Amino acid sequence: MSSTLTALDFEFHANHRTQPSSITQLKVGCQVDCPAFNCRRPTLGSTRNSVSSQETLVELTQSTRAERRMGDTELSYYLPARESGVNDMYLHLGCHAPRHILKRERVRLVWAILRIRHPLLASKIEMYSYDDVRFAYVPPHSAENALDDAGNNLEYRAQTKDGMIETVKCEFLISAAHFLGDGIALHQFANDFFGLLGSSSTSQLSALLFSEWYAVCGKLDDQPRDLPSALESRLPALRSKFAEIVARVDFDREKRKLIGGQTFPRMAGSTRRTVVPTVSFDENRTRDILKRCKDHGVSISSALFAICNIAWAKTRSEKPEIPTYEFYQSKSTANTYAAHRLMYSALNLRPCLLGDKAPSDSYWFLSIGYFNVVLPTFLPRSGELGPIFWHRARSAKSQSTNIVKNPLTVSRSREMARERGRRAKAWAKEDDDKANGVWKAPPPAPRNPGPPSSALLGLSLLGNLDGIYKHSNFPEIKLDTLTTGSRQRAGGMLLFGYTFVGKLWISLGYDENGLDKEVVEGFWSNVLSCTDEFLID
């Protein structure tokens, strides 16, 4: 098992109030004497000449500008992100490749091609009200304009390396605001990026840029380009008012089943700083882990729910002073609630979508919901934990499967999007009132008579990423590391689990300044020891 600790102090679009010129960015770290770094600002030059002897220009009018309003799910991510970019996604990939493949000119060409294919990556945000926030896209007026714009959103950093060999180490950081898309889009994009970078010559990339620009933007003829539709417009619609009422009642009933209340102790007053301790297991050990999970009838994703469950129970037993529940009505009631632990995870809604109303073939759009898993808190005072662990892993699997197969999943996801959108608008107004010095504290909210529903943490379970990354399509680029996540809110925490290049990776992204350091480190240590105890030993 190997381990790394990464501190992520992102600069990309940390404040979405400023209306950035773009909402994605690509960063590349290379050796200081690598040609990829030395090629600082190449012009199109011979690249353009290999496409056409004369740069083709298109006269763009206001009618070629495309826009659409954000849906509830996008708003629920955009509005909280305006202040400090909370939830902004990152994908860090390390690779070895021949030096000529990593030249900045080539990276810029690939970046420009993909920004043409996926218009939301090159869009701006225009906010008219909390209910009316829009993506606005103006296509590049030439292939060279597309290349320059891509270069303005590409950053290179150099790192000293002793000695030089033909194959160099390079690291890529792809950054995107979460309201643009989800993890599926992010990883598919990275696969396409390396597929283009590793399989085409520079002249071929130049020709492809021109042909794709001309096909998509050069023939607009005063017609705006279609943007990918919002999630809510892609979900199957309810057919009657009665069905809408049933959906709301069902959603409220399901919420009452969510019993949690256990959370990590938080620290206030410090600037947020996201760190991501990460471990990986070699290929042989990963195969053994996956086989053991299969033998017990679960996936590694279900096993990770159970690992977090037992790791927290051990952390609690080691530190009994940690608060375990919110006090509700009576001590006996609170103790009942304290016997349950709530965790949440993202739900991929792409299999539920109708065909896109707009004829866009871009996969860059946001299409996620959420589901919850509730497991017992307590552990037996004696006896082996193995049977308890596998039972809870099977319980997590059963809960997850029931959610995916439930015919009401679509309506629940729509209601959740509406609720998250309403909350985001209220918080956004509060943020703006505070910034303008006019905020007044609301009266205390009445005590909730129902059970607490605070989640312990979130889990992002990405599955087998080698199913997305087609390594054979870029044989000269050897990907070897992958860390992914998002900028956490103050006091936030998210555990990631996935397999990549045949290895199992587990990472914990959290705000180290917003949580009790000793408790979090104890929990992370228990996560690793539980992985060894139940999946390896």
Side-chain angles (χ1 to χ4, degrees):
M1 178 175 66
S2 61
S3 175
T4 60
L5 176 64
T6 306
L8 297 163
D9 294 320
F10 303 133
E11 297 113 7
F12 64 96
H13 312 311
N15 189 329
H16 296 305
R17 294 178 186 270
T18 58
Q19 306 300 333
S21 61
S22 172
I23 37 186
T24 55
Q25 191 174 41
L26 177 66
K27 297 186 179 183
V28 185
C30 275
Q31 297 167 357
V32 70
D33 46 357
C34 172
F37 176 75
N38 294 330
C39 188
R40 299 296 295 177
R41 283 284 300 174
T43 58
L44 199 58
S46 60
T47 304
R48 180 182 63 208
N49 294 337
S50 67
V51 175
S52 169
S53 59
Q54 184 176 3
E55 178 65 31
T56 303
L57 298 176
V58 172
E59 185 67 29
L60 295 176
T61 65
Q62 185 64 20
S63 61
T64 61
R65 179 184 186 272
E67 67 175 45
R68 75 156 173 84
R69 291 176 64 161
M70 287 188 182
D72 286 327
T73 303
E74 291 161 334
L75 281 174
S76 71
Y77 279 95
Y78 169 73
L79 292 173
R82 294 178 307 147
E83 185 64 35
S84 58
V86 65
N87 290 320
D88 284 359
M89 301 184 295
Y90 70 88
L91 175 57
H92 171 261
L93 291 144
C95 69
H96 289 82
R99 288 182 293 172
H100 70 275
I101 284 182
L102 302 175
K103 287 183 177 180
R104 182 179 178 125
E105 178 185 11
R106 293 173 52 79
V107 173
R108 198 162 65 119
L109 282 164
V110 172
W111 186 217
I113 291 167
L114 291 173
R115 285 163 59 89
I116 287 177
R117 290 182 182 177
H118 306 289
L120 290 188
L121 298 183
S123 296
K124 297 181 181 180
I125 303 301
E126 296 179 351
M127 182 174 175
Y128 298 93
S129 70
Y130 300 122
D131 295 295
D132 187 1
V133 183
R134 305 178 188 183
F135 290 105
Y137 174 74
V138 177
H141 60 261
S142 67
E144 185 172 33
N145 177 227
L147 191 61
D148 287 341
D149 193 33
N152 291 334
N153 291 279
L154 172 65
E155 177 182 331
Y156 266 66
R157 293 180 178 179
Q159 295 175 333
T160 302
K161 198 79 169 181
D162 293 332
M164 279 296 294
I165 53 177
E166 288 303 310
T167 300
V168 296
K169 172 69 175 180
C170 197
E171 297 181 339
F172 292 83
L173 181 65
I174 304 169
S175 313
H178 209 330
F179 54 84
L180 279 181
D182 47 41
I184 297 294
L186 187 62
H187 290 289
Q188 184 60 57
F189 173 84
N191 174 71
D192 291 351
F193 176 86
F194 288 109
L196 288 169
L197 187 65
S199 64
S200 306
S201 66
T202 303
S203 60
Q204 287 173 328
L205 290 173
S206 178
L208 182 61
L209 172 62
F210 179 82
S211 64
E212 295 214 9
W213 168 82
Y214 187 72
V216 174
C217 306
K219 299 180 180 180
L220 287 175
D221 295 329
D222 291 339
Q223 294 297 318
R225 181 179 181 183
D226 292 308
L227 299 180
S229 301
L231 167 64
E232 291 74 19
S233 66
R234 297 172 182 241
L235 292 173
L238 296 173
R239 298 184 178 181
S240 66
K241 290 290 184 181
F242 179 73
E244 293 178 2
I245 294 173
V246 170
R248 285 194 291 271
V249 171
D250 168 73
F251 178 68
D252 291 337
R253 181 177 61 86
E254 281 300 301
K255 285 200 301 182
R256 289 194 292 271
K257 294 181 181 179
L258 303 178
I259 303 175
Q262 298 204 13
T263 59
F264 284 85
R266 296 192 176 185
M267 311 292 288
S270 298
T271 303
R272 179 192 60 203
R273 185 171 186 265
T274 302
V275 296
V276 192
T278 302
V279 299
S280 63
F281 301 85
D282 62 44
E283 294 182 50
N284 290 333
R285 186 161 291 183
T286 296
R287 280 194 294 268
D288 291 341
I289 290 172
L290 298 180
K291 182 179 183 302
R292 178 166 292 190
C293 290
K294 183 177 180 180
D295 290 343
H296 285 84
V298 300
S299 66
I300 184 62
S301 296
S302 300
L304 285 172
F305 275 112
I307 283 173
C308 290
N309 173 264
I310 293 181
W312 176 247
K314 289 186 174 184
T315 305
R316 280 283 304 115
S317 66
E318 295 161 359
K319 292 188 170 296
E321 71 277 8
I322 299 174
T324 59
Y325 54 82
E326 302 166 14
F327 192 85
Y328 279 76
Q329 293 184 338
S330 69
K331 187 174 182 180
S332 61
T333 302
N335 284 334
T336 298
Y337 298 153
H340 297 84
R341 183 176 301 112
L342 175 67
M343 294 170 279
Y344 71 90
S345 187
L347 177 64
N348 177 19
L349 293 176
R350 291 178 186 250
C352 305
L353 302 182
L354 300 171
D356 193 355
K357 294 180 180 179
S360 171
D361 59 357
S362 173
Y363 48 73
W364 261 109
F365 58 89
L366 184 59
S367 183
I368 57 174
Y370 291 92
F371 70 95
N372 300 280
V373 169
V374 179
L375 296 174
T377 295
F378 58 85
L379 292 178
R381 293 184 178 180
S382 61
E384 293 186 7
L385 288 179
I388 300 293
F389 167 79
W390 291 112
H391 176 76
R392 293 185 183 179
R394 285 188 290 269
S395 176
K397 176 187 176 181
S398 176
Q399 293 180 55
S400 303
T401 301
N402 290 341
I403 290 164
V404 172
K405 293 184 176 181
N406 195 305
L408 295 174
T409 291
V410 169
S411 63
R412 291 172 182 172
S413 297
R414 183 184 286 107
E415 291 299 320
M416 173 61 77
R418 288 174 180 165
E419 182 175 281
R420 285 171 53 84
R422 286 193 295 268
R423 289 201 303 256
K425 293 169 191 175
W427 293 335
K429 185 179 186 308
E430 180 179 317
D431 290 341
D432 290 342
D433 287 349
K434 288 179 178 178
N436 295 326
V438 297
W439 180 75
K440 294 182 179 179
R447 185 180 295 275
N448 184 357
S453 57
S454 302
L456 178 69
L457 80 163
L459 285 81
S460 182
L461 306 171
L462 305 174
N464 179 21
L465 292 181
D466 290 323
I468 296 178
Y469 290 87
K470 308 302 181 184
H471 301 276
S472 60
N473 291 345
F474 40 91
E476 291 190 280
I477 300 176
K478 305 298 182 183
L479 297 176
D480 49 36
T481 59
L482 183 155
T483 306
T484 188
S486 58
R487 183 191 280 118
Q488 294 298 299
R489 68 186 186 281
M493 177 181 291
L494 196 58
L495 184 135
F496 294 83
Y498 51 91
T499 53
F500 179 68
V501 293
K503 301 177 180 179
L504 171 64
W505 303 71
I506 303 175
S507 62
L508 184 68
Y510 66 96
D511 172 21
E512 71 168 358
N513 291 338
L515 294 167
D516 187 301
K517 181 178 181 180
E518 189 175 353
V519 174
V520 174
E521 289 180 350
F523 170 74
W524 178 238
S525 177
N526 285 328
V527 166
L528 301 182
S529 65
C530 286
T531 303
D532 287 340
E533 179 180 356
F534 302 122
L535 299 184
I536 297 176
D537 292 341

